[in-house]
Amino acid sequence: MSPRKAPFGTWSSPITADALVQSSTPLVDVLLDPVTRVIYHIERRSSEGGRAVIVDTTANKDVFGADWNSTTKVHEYGGGSAIIYDGNIYFSHSPDGRVYSLTVGSEPKAVTPGRQRSASVLCEHPVLAKVIFPEGKPFRYADFNVHPVHRHLLAAVLEDHTNDDPMKVVNTLVIINVKTQSLTTIASGADFYAAPRFSPDGVRIAYQEWNHPDMPWQRSAIHLSRLSAQDDNIIVEHEKRLAWDNREVSVGYPGWVDADTLIFLTDESGFLNPWVYSVSSKKASPLFTAPVAQDFGLPAFTFADSPYTILDTEEKAILFSALKNGRTVLYIFEWKTKSIIPIENTFVSIRAIQAVDADTLVFIAKSTRTPSAVIKLKISDASSSHPRSTYEILKSSMASLPFPDGVISQPLPLTLGTESEPVYATLYPPTNFEYDGSSHPVEKPPCIVNAHGGPTGIAGQGLDWTRQYFTSRGWAWLDVDYSGSGGYGRKYIDRLNSSWGVADIADCAAAATALASQGRTDGTRTAIRGASAGGFTVLAALSQPTTKHAFAAGTSLFGISDLTLLAKAGTHKFEARYMDKLIGGAVDEIPEVYAERSPLNNAQNIRSPLLLLQGTADKIVPPEQAEAIEKSVREQGGHVEKVLFDGEGHGFIKAESIKVALETERAFYEKVFSIKM
């Protein structure tokens, strides 16, 4: 059958919301047992209310029953909810916040306190001499690491919500004694901690810390301490602090090559590149002979991401991932020759990398045509100048892939702006093998401009079914990695400093206008949508006089409408001071700027139809933000619709919520743009 023509936006597509929800299971993490080499993964089942399940990947078998949920809410964004070592599985169970252990075939047992208990610590900080632990439920744990010698000791980040006021939440670094269900604090006083990592001999521990108002990708430090266990007492002695205190430099992602050699990432050069610290020489230096103008990791919103892995400890061969033109690339670094060797790679988005052996990797990845999957990749001729790779899909996020390849739109990367101030974007044109354009000869496709979250995030070019849901129906989709996005170097991230609500909306509007002027899209039927920080960009773009005419509609998913309210009382600890940099100062210092940038105070300018999608249990952007902008726009005579999702937090994880949100957004655009099916 030859392709037919039909108006853009009306094409019939097999990519339905029901099909996506029923057959898709998001993959959260890959876990590799470093002793048994057995591979596990964590998957989030929307059909079970978003429950996160640990699965033996090869056996395709759940390790625990239906009553368990491996999720953590440390920093609200979570990550690093589980670890596996020599057949012992440790995980955070979200309903009560406690950490549990199990071996395959057994029932989980709690290993953290469930009642008031004291713990002692021996270290050079007297304030840590004794800590009283109240009921376990206010405690949250994440980012675990098992001691390689004393395997009953488990390092973790602890977030104490005994006082749930965001600015009174306490973050510390602790050792969990799984035998006695007791905790020992080994680091406190900083606002945040991450990535506790024992050296292979267990003599030292490295970890990252940072303080308000900085985020970990803005200014942070790595601490190195000696650690020994005497009976059940932990002795800690601070040894080294790796930081650039006179400059705003990010230092993170610590990992051990051997007992003497610590790897970490820093953006000291302007791009996040690997450095090495030698314990014996007490010196730190760049790992590469010259800086590489690529980021070897992304801003760490979640715990326990692994952008590199040690392939061979004897030869000191390291596998690195990096971002190049918005896509993940892989390199092998050879210590002896200092060579950086690229590996052929069909995937454009890779995370959670683990080394199974010296030439085998496992990770979660997407290509531009295949959905997220647990991938085992085998490297051939690793020592040559042109290593090859083959891969096996161990677990796909889709139970089946019922959609023909001909309905999947391929990314077209664009560089807009100027040579000195580029803006990066990716266009996904309307694509459906059953259609050959519009039945109206001069019609251009309607366009959805997507502003990613973060705002220090990145859209990514891996297959995303929300994009394809629209492009397969005859829509154009434009992802804008606006100023401030991660993956393009520190200078690009810092372009959003003091300019949030200005530079991001200008970039999105300019990208949309450029496509329309080139005849690729219909500028009169261009919508902007975004979630979280992207939702703020939506509301700001529609409410600011300079950009409100660029978009004929907008959808804000749990977006920010009142910056002042968010800064004073309305978000979680992790991002409570984020706006100090993004807006240009604290809210008490420049209240007029917060007020001026807040869409709520400019609601009279929102004349384009607006859709609000919001979870009632969102702790990051509370529902009051959506309620306030809805009320104000309605009072100003604007067109606004709102849908609340009961029990959903910052991102929808229940099957019905995902389905309703997607179908509601599509129906909203079809109505406001008079697209008839």
Side-chain angles (χ1 to χ4, degrees), residues 14 26 58 133 255 258 272 295 329 373 384 521 536 538 541 559:
T58 304
F133 298 102
D258 55 37
L272 202 61
D295 280 329
V329 292
S384 72
T521 60
F536 166 73
V538 169

Side-chain angles (χ1 to χ4, degrees), residues 13 16 25 34 85 89 119 123 161 163 172-173 237 249 273 322 347 414 419 442 455 484 503 522 552 582 621 653:
S13 171
T16 65
T25 302
Y85 197 100
I89 302 170
C123 67
H161 285 254
N163 188 329
T172 55
L173 206 62
E237 180 184 356
V249 173
N273 276 205
F347 301 101
L414 306 171
E419 185 175 346
V442 298
D522 183 349
L582 294 175
V621 180
I653 61 175

Side-chain angles (χ1 to χ4, degrees), residues 44 50 60 145 172 209 251 260 262 268 296 351 358 374 428 437 442 468 518 538 560 649 664:
R44 188 175 300 283
N60 194 27
N145 199 236
T172 55
E209 72 168 35
V251 187
D260 186 65
L262 180 74
E268 181 272 343
F296 282 71
R351 59 185 178 86
V374 178
Y428 296 82
V442 298
Q468 305 299 330
Q518 294 167 11
V538 169
I560 303 153
T664 298

Side-chain angles (χ1 to χ4, degrees), residues 449 451 505 528-531 533-543 554-556 610:
V449 174
I505 67 174
I528 183 170
R529 56 102 65 190
F536 166 73
T537 298
V538 169
L539 297 174
L542 296 182
S543 65
T555 298
S556 170
L610 173 64

Side-chain angles (χ1 to χ4, degrees), residues 389-540:
S389 65
T390 56
Y391 69 89
E392 173 189 359
I393 297 176
L394 301 183
K395 170 70 176 184
S396 175
S397 60
M398 303 275 305
S400 62
L401 192 61
F403 314 129
D405 187 66
V407 299
I408 297 176
S409 181
Q410 290 300 287
L412 299 175
L414 306 171
T415 300
L416 307 170
T418 65
E419 185 175 346
S420 61
E421 295 286 328
V423 176
Y424 304 103
T426 305
L427 173 65
Y428 296 82
T431 302
N432 190 322
F433 72 101
E434 293 188 351
Y435 295 89
D436 182 23
S438 174
S439 53
H440 301 306
V442 298
E443 185 189 22
K444 302 300 179 184
C447 181
I448 298 171
V449 174
N450 182 61
H452 62 70
T456 313
I458 185 173
Q461 297 174 25
L463 180 63
D464 179 270
W465 288 119
T466 299
R467 294 175 186 140
Q468 305 299 330
Y469 179 84
F470 285 99
T471 57
S472 63
R473 287 172 168 78
W475 290 76
W477 180 285
L478 181 67
D479 279 319
V480 182
D481 284 338
Y482 48 80
S483 298
S485 300
Y488 300 97
R490 182 61 184 266
K491 181 180 177 182
Y492 199 76
I493 288 176
D494 287 347
R495 272 169 52 174
L496 203 60
N497 288 350
S498 303
S499 296
W500 194 33
V502 178
D504 52 326
I505 67 174
D507 289 347
C508 289
T513 302
L515 282 193
S517 65
Q518 294 167 11
R520 296 187 181 191
T521 60
D522 183 349
T524 67
R525 294 187 298 168
T526 293
I528 183 170
R529 56 102 65 190
S532 188
F536 166 73
T537 298
V538 169
L539 297 174

Side-chain angles (χ1 to χ4, degrees), residues 500 532-533 535-540 543-544 556 558-566 579 594-603 606 610 612 614 621-633:
W500 194 33
S532 188
F536 166 73
T537 298
V538 169
L539 297 174
S543 65
Q544 289 293 338
S556 170
F558 35 93
I560 303 153
S561 66
D562 187 343
L563 296 173
T564 302
L565 177 63
L566 194 77
M579 287 186 292
Y594 280 73
E596 178 186 320
R597 302 265 183 92
S598 293
L600 181 64
N601 298 326
N602 300 292
I606 300 180
L610 173 64
L612 304 170
Q614 176 73 46
V621 180
E624 290 79 11
Q625 294 276 339
E627 293 167 2
I629 194 70
E630 177 199 25
K631 181 175 182 291
S632 186
V633 171

